[in-house]
Amino acid sequence: MLLLALDTATPAVTVALYDGRDVLASFSQVDARRHGELLLPAVDRVLGEAGVKLDAVTGVVVGTGPGPYTGLRVGLMTADTFGLALGIPVYGICTLDGLAHAADVGDGPFVVATDARRKEVYWARYEDSRTRIGEPAVDRPADIAERVEGLPAVGAGALLYPDTFPDAREPRHVSAASLAALAAERIEAGQELPAPRPLYLRRPDAQVPKNYKVVTPK
């Protein structure tokens, strides 16, 4: 097993190479406006540090969000392209699951929340670091305050809204290394991983105006 993992669902561009037991190399950079510019150089850097050629990779793991439309599709399209070019499987992992896997919150339930902009968070509740309860959602923090009351929380969304998440902790963003480790666990356990399809949860910010004037000739 040699997994190339990547995620662009948060402001972090993160890439890792994982051999089923250890992270051979990893790289992360936070820059919400440069996902497309940073991702492929990050892949090259990780492969170079590990001394591995791309054609040695046996599977690609990609974070499926939830996340903003523009950033999220950069990672998903790149993962699909690698999979098609190399003839290897592409595994989707919920980005929130990757954050939960890296969380250090002790025993008991907790929450993962990332920044969804528009004063909202993408969030999900977890029974433990590997067990999500229900599906991810997008909400205003104040609207879910009673549902997450008393629970520790991880992620940038939790750290942004201390009134709703008073026990907010690191990690702030997902790491590709965590996604890869979680994917490897599920693969070895014989679990079927979902297809790499995006969890947008809402429409993109950029939309065509409803009543625009047509200026091209008929």
Side-chain angles (χ1 to χ4, degrees):
M1 178 185 294
L2 186 60
L3 299 177
L4 175 66
L6 53 96
D7 189 287
T8 57
T10 74
V13 174
T14 178
V15 179
L17 195 65
Y18 187 76
D19 69 358
R21 294 186 304 174
D22 300 304
V23 177
L24 302 183
S26 64
F27 174 79
S28 295
Q29 182 171 339
V30 177
D31 192 330
R33 298 180 181 276
R34 299 174 64 208
H35 289 98
E37 181 181 344
L38 295 172
L39 182 56
L40 288 179
V43 171
D44 285 340
R45 175 172 177 168
V46 165
L47 292 171
E49 288 183 2
V52 171
K53 298 293 186 181
L54 182 59
D55 59 9
V57 172
T58 61
V60 181
V61 179
V62 61
T64 58
Y69 179 83
T70 303
L72 182 54
R73 67 178 179 172
V74 169
L76 288 164
M77 290 297 293
T78 301
D80 276 342
T81 300
F82 283 151
L84 287 170
L86 299 172
I88 57 177
V90 180
Y91 306 105
I93 294 284
C94 173
T95 298
L96 301 182
D97 290 358
L99 263 165
H101 188 262
D104 183 13
V105 294
D107 297 330
F110 64 96
V111 175
V112 174
T114 60
D115 182 16
R117 305 173 187 172
R118 303 184 192 174
K119 298 182 179 179
E120 294 178 328
V121 293
Y122 297 117
W123 72 283
R125 179 169 170 161
Y126 290 79
E127 187 64 35
D128 55 49
S129 63
R130 292 169 174 80
T131 310
R132 174 161 35 90
I133 303 171
E135 296 299 318
V138 58
D139 290 288
R140 289 183 177 272
D143 294 341
I144 61 172
E146 291 185 2
R147 299 166 66 183
V148 302
E149 184 177 4
L151 297 177
V154 300
L159 292 161
L160 275 174
Y161 300 100
D163 289 344
T164 298
F165 306 102
D167 188 6
R169 312 179 187 184
E170 298 284 347
R172 183 176 297 267
H173 303 301
V174 72
S175 73
S178 179
L179 285 174
L182 180 58
E185 282 186 12
R186 292 177 176 177
I187 292 168
E188 291 175 350
Q191 298 181 29
E192 184 175 349
L193 275 66
R197 297 294 176 261
L199 293 169
Y200 291 128
L201 301 190
R202 68 184 183 202
R203 297 178 66 84
D205 292 337
Q207 299 184 31
V208 177
K210 292 182 179 179
N211 298 311
Y212 67 94
K213 182 179 180 181
V214 177
V215 296
T216 55
K218 292 183 179 180

